[in-house]
Amino acid sequence: MSRPIVIQNASLYGDTVATLVVEDGVITAVDSDTRPEGAVVIDATGLVALPGLVDLHTHLREPGREDAETIETGSRAAARGGWTAVHAMANTTPVADTAGVVEQVWSRGQEIGLVDVYPIGAVTVGLKGEHLSEMGAMAHSKARVRLFSDDGVCVYDPVIMRRALEYVKAFDGAVVQHAQDLRLTEGAQMHEGEVSAELGLAGWPAVAEESIVARDALLAEHVGSRVHVQHLSTAGSVEIIRWAKGRGINVTAEATPHHLLLTHEEARTYDPLFKVNPPLRTQTDVDALRAAVADGTIDIIATDHAPHASEDKDCEWAAASFGMLGLETALGIVQKVLVDTGAATWRDVARLMSEAPARIGSVDDAHGRPLAAGEPANITLVDPRAAWTVRPEDLASRARNTPYGGIELPGRAVITLLRGVPTHLDPRFEGAFA
């Protein structure tokens, strides 16, 4: 059993300064003079207290590609980034399309204990888009899967997509779609536009994403089901989501930190670290995404943490794999592009990176809870003034494919608590728990 913890003078949600008392994995008092015997006392002056962050889009690569990431290394990276729960994508080897595989991932996450790992099940067998997976068996397994995705591949067949949307209604699940028209993006390497033309790289048109977003919103409306759209990247997709919500369709959407910060101009370096799916778009798209996050059209921010072995990135652009690391840098990027610019508050960050993703993932009984007495002590303390320079070699992930090497970010998580147990401590706080 962990020692009681008293967190003094924390700025709850960046607003009210208060003291949190944690005992036996629960917040037992807020702004109280209670001091349990033997408690660890933390002076949190200047720190922002948030509910533990919840990532709805993480690739942990285990089983199958442990050379790129493992559940242990990915969990450690998540804890350092302030996350207390992550949803692990199904594109492993073997694919997480059976109860046995998702239970293996869930059990390994529980064994490691740094974050709660919630497996996402595949929509189709082997991610091949031909036959529905054992969604019911996964939903009723000990992993309690509620989200299903073929992420990395679009559920392209509208009949299969419709059947999946109908099936998940039985257990209040959701289909999580990687929106990409496969025919329109065959051989595509980056965003289709002036830069791709100049560089001679095959273009990836915005309509390839937007057409699938529109189709799936209409399918969700038709069957009365729930669809979540991953990593929106275009201004057109934002408008479709806004339209769908105005129509009352049960659709949610996410943006990634990299699509909120970077543009297709980065491809001019031909550095594969900037090669990602969907591709980095224009500044106009970035601005539209930021505005949609600020006004609530986009529900959450998710990392799409995609670790790769060095040989999959240390090569020419065309041969490189898509994807980049995100768990340890997400919070700093969100502060940089949203909080420090005045586009969002820390309370908005709590909604975007904890409360809403927990609700969408159906884990809001344990995560994304208020910082209030009687609630689970899943807490992230952020130092918004702890500027740091990203060094790939210092990251906890087994992979090194971050595009942010050498970039200074304004803040970071300094303490992460999972049910009252420290899973990450900045060195300045390690002595208090010794």
Side-chain angles (χ1 to χ4, degrees):
M1 186 176 297
S2 60
R3 293 167 62 186
I5 303 172
V6 177
I7 304 171
Q8 295 180 327
N9 305 316
S11 177
L12 307 189
Y13 304 97
D15 299 330
T16 306
V17 175
T19 294
L20 298 173
V21 180
V22 174
E23 298 177 86
D24 298 330
V26 176
I27 299 172
T28 56
V30 178
D31 211 14
S32 168
D33 293 330
T34 302
R35 296 295 182 270
E37 184 177 352
V40 175
V41 179
I42 297 296
D43 181 6
T45 301
L47 304 185
V48 175
L50 301 173
L53 307 184
V54 178
D55 190 17
L56 213 67
H57 194 158
T58 307
H59 296 273
L60 295 179
R61 303 303 189 205
E62 185 180 347
R65 288 303 306 266
E66 289 85 354
D67 57 327
E69 192 78 285
T70 66
I71 294 172
E72 182 175 2
T73 58
S75 293
R76 185 169 292 111
R80 281 195 191 180
W83 309 92
T84 56
V86 299
H87 289 72
M89 286 295 154
N91 58 340
T92 50
T93 307
V95 172
D97 56 6
T98 65
V101 178
V102 296
E103 287 185 346
Q104 175 188 345
V105 172
W106 181 85
S107 295
R108 183 64 178 137
Q110 291 292 300
E111 178 185 346
I112 294 164
L114 293 172
V115 295
D116 284 339
V117 177
Y118 297 104
I120 289 180
V123 175
T124 66
V125 175
L127 307 180
K128 294 180 178 179
E130 298 171 352
H131 306 286
L132 291 183
S133 67
E134 299 177 6
M135 289 191 284
M138 288 187 277
H140 294 102
S141 72
K142 65 182 179 181
R144 293 186 62 254
V145 177
R146 291 295 179 270
L147 299 180
F148 298 87
S149 177
D150 279 3
D151 182 49
V153 184
C154 179
V155 181
Y156 191 49
D157 187 326
V159 175
I160 294 291
M161 186 64 179
R162 173 183 174 170
R163 288 174 180 166
L165 287 166
E166 290 172 334
Y167 200 104
V168 298
K169 290 173 64 178
F171 39 81
D172 192 29
V175 179
V176 178
Q177 178 66 296
H178 174 114
Q180 176 189 352
D181 186 296
L182 302 180
R183 295 291 300 279
L184 289 173
T185 57
E186 189 171 350
Q189 294 290 314
M190 65 169 294
H191 172 69
E192 181 180 278
E194 293 180 3
V195 177
S196 66
E198 291 178 25
L199 300 180
L201 293 174
W204 189 307
V207 70
E209 174 177 303
E210 295 158 2
S211 59
I212 300 296
V213 174
R215 183 202 74 176
D216 290 351
L218 290 171
L219 284 173
E221 179 183 43
H222 180 68
V223 303
S225 191
R226 188 160 65 101
V227 65
H228 175 77
V229 185
Q230 298 178 303
H231 39 45
L232 287 196
S233 69
T234 78
S237 291
V238 167
E239 289 306 311
I240 294 166
I241 293 294
R242 186 174 286 123
W243 167 84
K245 288 188 171 188
R247 192 177 169 105
I249 299 172
N250 195 354
V251 58
T252 54
E254 72 189 36
T256 68
H258 48 274
H259 287 115
L260 293 171
L261 176 64
L262 306 173
T263 74
H264 64 157
E265 293 288 342
E266 307 291 351
R268 292 186 185 279
T269 65
Y270 286 101
D271 187 338
L273 291 175
F274 295 103
K275 185 179 180 182
V276 66
N277 180 352
L280 302 175
R281 304 287 188 179
T282 69
Q283 188 62 50
T284 298
D285 294 307
V286 170
D287 292 342
L289 292 172
R290 291 185 186 183
V293 167
D295 69 20
T297 299
I298 292 177
D299 301 84
I300 68 170
I301 293 171
T303 68
D304 193 9
H305 175 80
H308 288 291
S310 58
E311 61 268 23
D312 294 327
K313 278 292 190 178
D314 190 13
C315 56
E316 65 274 15
W317 181 285
S321 297
F322 293 96
M324 55 184 63
L325 301 182
L327 286 170
E328 295 177 70
T329 52
L331 194 56
I333 293 170
V334 168
Q335 180 184 337
K336 178 184 178 73
V337 303
L338 295 176
V339 178
D340 289 355
T341 61
T345 65
W346 284 110
R347 188 168 288 275
D348 293 326
V349 173
R351 170 178 54 82
L352 290 161
M353 300 180 74
S354 181
E355 296 161 1
R359 184 179 67 254
I360 294 167
S362 299
V363 298
D364 51 343
D365 57 337
H367 292 275
R369 305 296 303 169
L371 296 175
E375 297 290 354
N378 297 322
I379 302 169
T380 300
L381 293 177
V382 182
D383 187 343
R385 296 173 297 179
W388 62 291
T389 300
V390 179
R391 294 183 175 86
E393 65 273 16
D394 293 338
L395 299 177
S397 173
R398 174 163 288 187
R400 294 291 177 263
N401 56 300
T402 175
Y404 308 115
I407 293 178
E408 184 176 272
L409 296 177
R412 68 191 312 177
V414 292
I415 295 179
T416 307
L417 300 179
L418 177 63
R419 290 180 287 278
V421 177
T423 57
H424 164 63
L425 292 172
D426 186 86
R428 74 181 111 157
F429 297 109
E430 289 177 350
F433 288 88

